[in-house]
Amino acid sequence: MPSDVLSTQALNRATLARQLLLTREKMTVPRAIEHLVGLQAQLARPPYLALWSRLQGFQRDQLTKLALKRQLARGTMMRGTLHLMTAKDYLRYRGLFQPLLAAALRSVLKERATALDLPALLATAKPFLDEQPRTFEEVRAHLLKHHVGGDERAMGFATRMMLPLIQVPEEGLEWGWPGNSGFTLAESWLGEKLSTDDDASPLVLRYLAAFGPATVADMQAWSGIKPLKDAFETVRGKLVEFRDEKKRALFDLPKAPRPPEDTPAPVRFLPDFDNLILSHADRTRFVPPEHRPLLSTKNLRVLNVFLVDGRTAGTWTTERKKGAATLVCNAFEPLKKPVRDALVQEGEALLRFSDPEAAKVAVTFAK
């Protein structure tokens, strides 16, 4: 029976510890990505910044070299969004998400989906993508050539959702992948078959290690897979149970870190779409309710945020002019001088990482 109530502050510190955001950890890049169950990778740059904020001495070529060696895979996974995974985890879990991706296809396209001849469409796309990496402009043109009069965008989206694809990295790029990356078949690129195991219960343990303590609804929000109650029940004997301040059941691993509530949390800059912001149904452990509308744009892009005392305190952008790189903090509320000083120190270090060619770096405050 659950006995302990975990405050919002306790949940904050516990999850910051799992997310490697209480202190920069001495951990290899593959181990960190595996521990975090992947990194949001809607754009090429965010995984690099996410790891810089979490690991001691991280250098961008560490990630790029692993991707080029095919030890990492950037493809569609949780919530139907792009993630950077270890190759091992991509192969293990990509099949588990296929029903979600098929449902997303039907949900987005609606009646346009029923008009598609999926078997014929995928039979056309698969050898074309297997031959060499292709951009989706090339994929759509190829599909139109063989399915004259077809719905170009619908066919492209169906291919993206229904085939396990990898975005292919390239050498010599600042962030490892071009803006218009080529895609190819995952099994060919990684040299192994995808797992056909559809048991989600091992993923429950992985999720809690990275994001717990958490509710079933939290994991459903992170993964996009519903329902997950049975998967939690399968591993319930391996879990401990708590309650949050609203008396909801929280599950966790017995030996996972749950630091004291007064554990210091340093300021941190997080990239757009960061894991921390998108991985719980109830985000109040990190995001005060009044801040939530400020974290994304109308087209659902999740913005760069900075944390103060473990909670969202503002958004940030960078500017590059005449050899100078500037990080601009847009705070949601007035910041005290020690906090501003800490943000300046952390922000200047981030700029030296992200803009090593800049002759000067500076951190400013919009207000």
Side-chain angles (χ1 to χ4, degrees), residues 2-60:
S3 57
D4 294 339
V5 174
L6 296 179
S7 68
T8 301
Q9 176 73 359
L11 293 175
N12 175 279
R13 292 311 196 250
T15 312
L16 286 176
R18 321 291 172 87
Q19 283 291 299
L20 317 180
L21 290 168
L22 284 181
T23 183
R24 283 185 168 86
E25 300 290 342
K26 190 174 182 180
M27 188 179 289
T28 67
V29 170
R31 177 70 189 97
I33 294 174
E34 197 165 84
H35 168 74
L36 296 165
V37 204
L39 293 168
Q40 278 281 341
Q42 292 295 92
L43 303 172
R45 186 177 77 151
Y48 291 86
L49 302 188
L51 289 174
W52 178 85
S53 288
R54 289 168 164 92
L55 300 182
Q56 292 182 28
F58 172 71
Q59 300 294 321
R60 69 174 71 178

Side-chain angles (χ1 to χ4, degrees), residues 178-192:
N180 191 18
S181 297
F183 288 76
T184 194
L185 297 181
E187 291 184 337
S188 297
W189 180 255
L190 299 176
E192 293 186 44

